[in-house]
Amino acid sequence: MISKIKEKNPLIHNITNYVTVNGVANALISLGASPVMADSEFEVSDIVSISNALVINIGTLNERVLKSMIKAGIRANELGLPVVLDPVGAGASLYRTQAVFELLKSIKFSLIRLNISEAKTLINQTSTTNGVDASQSDLNADLSSAISVAKNISEKFNTITVISGKSDIITNGKNIAICDNGHEMMSKITGSGCMLSAVLGAFMCVGDTFETAVHGVSAYGICGERAFDKLGDNGNATYATLLIDELAFVSDDDVVKFGKIRHI
Amino acid sequence: MISKIKEKNPLIHNITNYVTVNGVANALISLGASPVMADSEFEVSDIVSISNALVINIGTLNERVLKSMIKAGIRANELGLPVVLDPVGAGASLYRTQAVFELLKSIKFSLIRLNISEAKTLINQTSTTNGVDASQSDLNADLSSAISVAKNISEKFNTITVISGKSDIITNGKNIAICDNGHEMMSKITGSGCMLSAVLGAFMCVGDTFETAVHGVSAYGICGERAFDKLGDNGNATYATLLIDELAFVSDDDVVKFGKIRHI
Amino acid sequence: MISKIKEKNPLIHNITNYVTVNGVANALISLGASPVMADSEFEVSDIVSISNALVINIGTLNERVLKSMIKAGIRANELGLPVVLDPVGAGASLYRTQAVFELLKSIKFSLIRLNISEAKTLINQTSTTNGVDASQSDLNADLSSAISVAKNISEKFNTITVISGKSDIITNGKNIAICDNGHEMMSKITGSGCMLSAVLGAFMCVGDTFETAVHGVSAYGICGERAFDKLGDNGNATYATLLIDELAFVSDDDVVKFGKIRHI
């Protein structure tokens, strides 16, 4: 599937935050896709129309951009394009939570990628939050309850759900996979979640399925492992750079050989 | 105090510019804090309420965000949270200067970090400016006049003042420290000031005092020295990455051993 | 001319996108210029007035910023400052195309830097687009037709035109140069075009001429070659960092020795 991305070079329209946007763009290029960032309501319909997927990330949401997200998402649905949602910080403010539900009401998402605190917010469970990061109490919950949350999201919103964490959970409501690739350092940089969401947008362009999502999550996790192998005595900013670098090198064979995927 | 930051993992709400925001986020993570960036007027009150400090940086100011800054600052004051101001480019345009005075009128800041040209603007002294950098003529002024500017700011606005430069000045109006840690390369990257302001926001979470500010400025300067030691024949973009990396490694012991702090 | 930039340390006002803005700022510092980013309509006139050049980049355009671009450009023209345009994604949406023509109608540009798809849009030729990247079909066009496009832009808008590609084309409508410096990796990172546009803004401050533009394009290409030489087995994110680093080291002598410039 990675080879197909490189062959197809899909154009990924990102309406995203200004914190991690540069990494998101380079991650997509590294993988073999092309990024385009455009958030004016006057052009998102045009940009979606030439794109192969849309990725919506609410990391630094505001009224102007929310309007553009809805417009772009509706157009992408009309065109039958994959649409990915990263509901960054859902639950951290009433505004974000309401915006997420407005997006979910207006747009059919192919895939939603989030952390466990955001995930609990989406199914109206009480969650605590550490801003855009999952709270420690939510992270401490056992895997089976997190799987149940993921399944609920998939059922409620008819979507593939990816909950990132120590173990990543991928489900379409019926099939469930746990992926243990990745490295703790991924939680010590800004943007590792945002980049995965965008990368999964590229994967969705070569097959809008549960299997593709599992493959993508595992490939990204392998990159996280390899970036750590190369890190030496450097810190998180270097790690962020190396993580993006690795996306250019990871292959479908690597996922077969080094993927740590359990189907349950 | 660094160990306390790592223990407490404070959430730092940044309303900041889009130029250096990624470095600011990674610098906070590196140090052991958590960043959250949110600038919609519809959510800043909520985000402040779950945060441990607020950092306001006017690097790419506009009307929408200025409104959010004031709202967030007032809420942070109500909650008794530390609030840091980085008045980037004050004096470079009438708009920025007026905005800074509006912020200072509406919000009580725990700490203001700035360069000497911005500092002179805050006490209505004539200053020249090189945009967001201090002007050469202001930089050439002797240390004692810069100290006097810093003291004036602290007295006028009842705040800790940190003026960054070849020698950093820290004062609360009564106590004065000069810190000679740091490296010239810090002035050859974008964001070294913005990152220090955010880092000091994290330090304020473990003690809202002059001593904590001095400790933080020195720790950051030590990171700047060590980043240079590792730089080899690389240039400023690599240096920026290494500087953020070092924030993960610097310790309270390092400040005791390698701090170049003079109390005067 | 590079030595003159380092001597003069020109202040470059950028109204630019939030994707590549950090690299743009560090690239300018690396070269010896100072960046200032400011996009509020309430301050752009002030900021232009203290600057040595203005660079307008429409990568993430919106209504608020477009107004500021026009205001800043008109003021820069009044002051006789060099103004550079990077019409990112012209042709990718009607909104961007119309915005570019509005900018071209309101402002006299010293230099326009773009890719071949954007260039064809500017002279009303049919072009396809890959978002903010040139389309493969446009890239496959022969060099002579691309030169003709560049000449047309220079004649129509009375400007220096730089079309980036495998071979870069520089023309003022009369003189034409082809520059073969650079490396394929430059097309595998986000921001290499944006950074060149800003860098050329700095070059325009030391001589607003065809020759300066050729020199600048070649110097930047040499940086691209050297960044690749240092890349080892790393990928695109590391490459982006190294490219900015090299801008600090490239000299006028290097351009004389290693420039691959053909005048035709």
Side-chain angles (χ1 to χ4, degrees):
Chain A
M1 308 180 189
I2 297 169
S3 59
K4 274 192 204 159
I5 293 174
K6 291 187 197 302
E7 199 185 305
K8 189 177 179 179
N9 182 226
L11 185 62
I12 313 299
H13 180 188
N14 300 272
I15 307 183
T16 191
N17 70 75
Y18 57 82
V19 184
T20 64
V21 60
N22 188 269
V24 164
N26 272 333
L28 287 170
I29 297 173
S30 204
L31 184 67
S34 285
V36 58
M37 276 67 180
D39 65 23
S40 162
E41 63 173 315
F42 303 109
E43 70 166 342
V44 290
S45 291
D46 278 6
I47 299 292
V48 162
S49 303
I50 59 168
S51 297
N52 300 102
L54 172 67
V55 178
I56 293 176
N57 174 310
I58 66 162
T60 50
L61 195 63
N62 62 54
E63 286 306 276
R64 182 182 68 74
V65 167
L66 179 56
K67 219 188 288 180
S68 302
M69 288 171 174
I70 291 169
K71 204 167 177 182
I74 290 172
R75 184 81 187 112
N77 280 172
E78 286 169 4
L79 294 167
L81 299 181
V83 189
V84 171
L85 176 65
D86 189 332
V88 183
S93 74
L94 184 60
Y95 177 63
R96 287 198 193 210
T97 304
Q98 287 177 339
V100 167
F101 283 109
E102 195 180 344
L103 289 166
L104 287 164
K105 203 185 61 192
S106 315
I107 304 162
K108 159 77 176 74
F109 289 97
S110 313
L111 186 149
I112 302 175
R113 196 219 58 84
L114 32 46
N115 67 40
I116 182 64
S117 294
E118 294 155 354
K120 288 172 79 172
T121 298
L122 258 66
I123 53 165
N124 301 309
Q125 282 192 12
T126 308
S127 77
T128 53
T129 172
N130 193 21
V132 296
D133 300 315
S135 67
Q136 203 53 50
S137 61
D138 285 337
L139 286 172
N140 289 345
D142 56 67
L143 190 61
S144 65
S145 78
I147 291 172
S148 153
V149 169
K151 281 186 69 175
N152 280 354
I153 292 175
S154 284
E155 283 157 10
K156 190 170 170 191
F157 302 109
N158 186 22
T159 190
I160 299 165
T161 304
V162 175
I163 300 184
S164 298
K166 197 170 153 37
S167 293
D168 298 319
I169 300 162
I170 305 102
T171 182
N172 58 3
K174 279 176 274 182
N175 309 97
I176 303 162
I178 306 296
C179 177
D180 286 319
N181 291 110
H183 191 278
E184 199 197 348
M185 274 300 287
M186 298 172 95
S187 68
K188 303 289 183 196
I189 59 169
T190 189
S192 72
C194 302
M195 291 195 287
L196 176 55
S197 297
V199 157
L200 291 175
F203 273 93
M204 289 295 104
C205 295
V206 299
D208 195 345
T209 67
F210 168 75
E211 286 76 22
T212 318
V214 174
H215 199 84
V217 169
S218 178
Y220 188 70
I222 291 169
C223 292
E225 296 165 11
R226 292 180 172 179
F228 183 76
D229 291 341
K230 290 193 176 173
L231 188 60
D233 60 351
N234 283 102
N236 66 345
T238 297
Y239 183 79
T241 302
L242 293 174
L243 174 60
I244 299 171
D245 280 0
E246 288 303 317
L247 278 163
F249 306 129
V250 71
S251 71
D252 295 314
D253 275 359
D254 289 334
V255 177
V256 173
K257 277 190 212 154
F258 305 109
K260 297 178 189 159
I261 302 161
R262 288 175 282 153
H263 287 87
I264 58 175
Chain B
M1 308 180 189
I2 297 170
S3 60
K4 274 193 204 158
I5 293 174
K6 291 188 198 302
E7 198 185 304
K8 188 176 178 180
N9 182 226
L11 184 62
I12 313 298
H13 179 188
N14 300 271
I15 307 183
T16 190
N17 70 75
Y18 56 83
V19 184
T20 65
V21 60
N22 188 271
V24 165
N26 272 332
L28 287 170
I29 297 172
S30 204
L31 184 67
S34 284
V36 59
M37 277 67 181
D39 65 23
S40 162
E41 61 173 314
F42 302 108
E43 71 167 341
V44 291
S45 291
D46 277 6
I47 299 292
V48 163
S49 303
I50 59 167
S51 297
N52 300 100
L54 172 67
V55 178
I56 293 177
N57 174 310
I58 66 161
T60 51
L61 194 63
N62 63 53
E63 285 306 275
R64 182 182 68 76
V65 169
L66 179 55
K67 219 187 290 180
S68 302
M69 289 171 174
I70 291 169
K71 205 167 175 180
I74 289 171
R75 184 80 187 113
N77 280 171
E78 285 169 4
L79 294 166
L81 299 181
V83 189
V84 170
L85 175 65
D86 188 333
V88 183
S93 74
L94 184 60
Y95 175 64
R96 288 198 192 211
T97 304
Q98 287 177 339
V100 167
F101 283 110
E102 196 180 342
L103 289 166
L104 287 164
K105 203 185 60 192
S106 314
I107 304 161
K108 159 78 175 72
F109 289 96
S110 313
L111 185 151
I112 303 175
R113 195 218 59 84
L114 30 48
N115 67 40
I116 181 64
S117 294
E118 294 154 356
K120 288 171 79 173
T121 298
L122 257 66
I123 53 164
N124 299 310
Q125 282 192 13
T126 307
S127 78
T128 52
T129 172
N130 193 23
V132 296
D133 300 315
S135 68
Q136 203 53 51
S137 60
D138 284 336
L139 286 172
N140 290 344
D142 54 66
L143 190 60
S144 64
S145 77
I147 291 171
S148 152
V149 169
K151 280 186 69 174
N152 280 353
I153 292 175
S154 285
E155 284 157 10
K156 191 171 168 189
F157 302 109
N158 186 22
T159 190
I160 299 166
T161 304
V162 175
I163 299 185
S164 298
K166 196 170 156 32
S167 293
D168 297 320
I169 300 161
I170 305 101
T171 182
N172 59 2
K174 279 177 272 180
N175 307 95
I176 303 163
I178 306 296
C179 177
D180 287 317
N181 290 110
H183 191 278
E184 198 197 350
M185 276 301 287
M186 297 172 95
S187 67
K188 303 289 184 194
I189 59 168
T190 191
S192 71
C194 303
M195 291 195 288
L196 176 54
S197 298
V199 157
L200 291 175
F203 273 93
M204 289 295 104
C205 295
V206 298
D208 195 344
T209 68
F210 167 75
E211 286 74 24
T212 318
V214 173
H215 198 84
V217 169
S218 179
Y220 188 71
I222 291 168
C223 292
E225 295 165 13
R226 292 179 173 180
F228 183 76
D229 291 341
K230 291 192 177 174
L231 188 60
D233 60 352
N234 283 102
N236 65 344
T238 298
Y239 183 79
T241 302
L242 294 174
L243 174 59
I244 298 169
D245 281 359
E246 288 303 318
L247 278 163
F249 307 128
V250 70
S251 71
D252 295 315
D253 275 358
D254 290 333
V255 178
V256 173
K257 277 190 212 154
F258 305 110
K260 298 177 188 159
I261 301 162
R262 288 175 282 153
H263 287 87
I264 59 177
Chain C
M1 307 180 189
I2 297 169
S3 59
K4 273 192 204 159
I5 294 173
K6 291 187 197 302
E7 199 185 305
K8 189 176 178 180
N9 182 227
L11 184 62
I12 313 298
H13 179 189
N14 299 272
I15 307 182
T16 191
N17 69 76
Y18 56 83
V19 185
T20 65
V21 59
N22 188 270
V24 165
N26 272 333
L28 287 170
I29 297 172
S30 204
L31 184 66
S34 284
V36 58
M37 277 66 181
D39 66 22
S40 162
E41 62 172 315
F42 302 109
E43 71 166 342
V44 290
S45 291
D46 277 7
I47 300 291
V48 162
S49 304
I50 59 167
S51 298
N52 300 103
L54 173 67
V55 178
I56 293 176
N57 175 310
I58 66 161
T60 51
L61 195 62
N62 62 54
E63 287 306 276
R64 182 182 68 76
V65 168
L66 179 56
K67 219 188 289 181
S68 302
M69 289 172 175
I70 291 169
K71 204 167 177 182
I74 289 172
R75 184 80 187 114
N77 280 171
E78 285 169 5
L79 295 167
L81 299 181
V83 188
V84 170
L85 176 65
D86 189 332
V88 182
S93 74
L94 184 60
Y95 176 63
R96 287 197 193 211
T97 304
Q98 287 178 339
V100 168
F101 282 111
E102 196 180 342
L103 289 167
L104 287 164
K105 203 185 62 191
S106 314
I107 303 162
K108 160 76 176 72
F109 289 97
S110 312
L111 186 150
I112 302 175
R113 195 219 58 85
L114 31 47
N115 68 38
I116 182 65
S117 294
E118 294 155 354
K120 289 172 78 174
T121 298
L122 258 65
I123 54 165
N124 300 309
Q125 281 192 14
T126 309
S127 78
T128 52
T129 172
N130 193 23
V132 295
D133 300 314
S135 68
Q136 203 53 51
S137 61
D138 285 337
L139 286 172
N140 290 343
D142 55 65
L143 190 61
S144 64
S145 78
I147 291 172
S148 154
V149 169
K151 281 186 68 174
N152 279 354
I153 291 175
S154 285
E155 284 157 8
K156 191 172 168 190
F157 302 109
N158 186 24
T159 191
I160 299 166
T161 304
V162 175
I163 300 183
S164 298
K166 197 169 154 35
S167 293
D168 297 320
I169 300 162
I170 306 101
T171 182
N172 58 3
K174 280 177 273 181
N175 308 96
I176 303 162
I178 306 297
C179 177
D180 286 319
N181 290 109
H183 191 278
E184 199 198 350
M185 275 300 287
M186 298 171 94
S187 67
K188 303 290 182 194
I189 59 169
T190 190
S192 71
C194 302
M195 291 195 288
L196 176 54
S197 297
V199 158
L200 291 175
F203 272 94
M204 289 294 104
C205 295
V206 298
D208 194 345
T209 68
F210 168 75
E211 287 75 22
T212 317
V214 174
H215 198 84
V217 169
S218 179
Y220 187 70
I222 290 168
C223 292
E225 295 165 12
R226 292 179 173 180
F228 183 76
D229 291 342
K230 290 192 177 173
L231 188 59
D233 61 351
N234 284 102
N236 65 345
T238 299
Y239 183 79
T241 301
L242 293 175
L243 175 58
I244 298 170
D245 280 0
E246 288 302 318
L247 279 163
F249 307 130
V250 69
S251 70
D252 295 315
D253 274 359
D254 289 333
V255 178
V256 173
K257 277 189 211 154
F258 305 110
K260 297 177 189 161
I261 301 161
R262 288 174 283 152
H263 288 87
I264 59 175

